[in-house]
Amino acid sequence: MSDVEFNKIALVGIGLIGSSLARAIAEKGLAKEIAISTRSEATLARARELGLGTSYHASARDAVGDADLVIVSVPVGASGAVAADIAPALKPGAIISDVGSTKASVINQMKPHMPDGVHFIAGHPVAGTEYSGPDAGFATLFEGRWCILTPTPDADPTQVARLRHFWETLGSLVEEMDAEHHDKVLAIVSHLPHIIAYNIVGTAEDLETVTESEVIKYSASGFRDFTRLAASDPVMWRDVCLHNKDAILEMLSRFSEDLAYLQRAIRWGEGDKLFELFTRTRDVRRSIIEAGQDVAAPNFGRYPEK
């Protein structure tokens, strides 16, 4: 067993993140028991078929009993309801965390339900794909990716360190920050790109002068990569927009201002401004590669198209 050992870990929700956690926990030997819970009978049955846990529960409250670590992997809008449901069954001393893409909202929803004696520490592994469901998970999802913890000021430092060690053992790089700051950072690096992708793909689909077959047939890498983002879980992204709306609206406003600047430069043929912008943004891409958050291989490392 690993030195980051929990007798029992409960995973509430078994989509991409939850199923990846189940696989990674088993592979690293981080728990003797892995209890899996989801309300969907079909999803629970599939998790059982895949052998992702040691026990399977339709009730989240049943799953968390005696768990030393509980990780909630549900759309952020459901966080409060889950917290209220599991609270009576939580073991004193247990760590309760989540994987939601917004943090201030999740803390506000979950923390009031937490009983005395448990340790609620919100978290967000910044990792994922456009796929969902228990079949989408893989044990290496978190390797080399950041996991952001947003403990509240009253959090027990020893338990925060314990959760940090857990994520580090899964291969994550761990950072701690204030929840509001997390939400602003993620609004620009994750939430806004997904919103733009959904909007661009929706615009293309709505164009009356371009047929759907042409959109699909002539999709070059730019539009194709937008469709990857726009294929992400609609429920999750609906909730992200509703639960991080202030930060997202702030970033959308800034983006609209910058887009107007670009529009003017194109209209007036200001090539120097266009060149300066495109050079600056290319440097950002290079920095991401240097930081190990993507690969420099042509076509994002995909196999060449035939």
Side-chain angles (χ1 to χ4, degrees), residues 179-248:
E180 284 75 17
H181 184 67
H182 164 280
D183 289 354
K184 183 169 288 189
V185 171
L186 269 293
I188 188 61
V189 302
S190 176
H191 305 166
L192 185 60
H194 278 83
I195 291 168
I196 293 169
Y198 278 117
N199 201 57
I200 286 176
V201 174
T203 298
E205 201 270 336
D206 287 341
L207 283 176
E208 295 179 355
T209 56
V210 178
T211 67
E212 183 175 347
S213 63
E214 287 174 319
V215 169
I216 294 171
K217 188 192 310 183
Y218 303 123
S219 292
S221 59
F223 184 79
R224 181 189 62 201
D225 291 328
F226 273 118
T227 64
R228 184 186 66 79
L229 291 178
S232 300
D233 184 2
V235 174
M236 181 183 80
W237 284 100
R238 176 202 64 192
D239 282 10
V240 166
C241 289
L242 296 177
H243 289 268
N244 196 27
K245 67 177 184 179
D246 290 341
I248 290 173

Side-chain angles (χ1 to χ4, degrees), residues 51-106:
L52 296 178
T54 57
S55 64
Y56 303 87
H57 310 267
S59 164
R61 186 179 300 188
D62 291 344
V64 304
D66 293 324
D68 305 291
L69 172 63
V70 177
I71 301 181
V72 175
S73 306
V74 300
V76 293
S79 298
V82 169
D85 179 42
I86 66 175
L90 293 174
K91 174 184 177 179
I95 297 173
I96 317 302
S97 192
D98 78 301
V99 299
S101 185
T102 71
K103 294 274 64 82
S105 170
V106 166

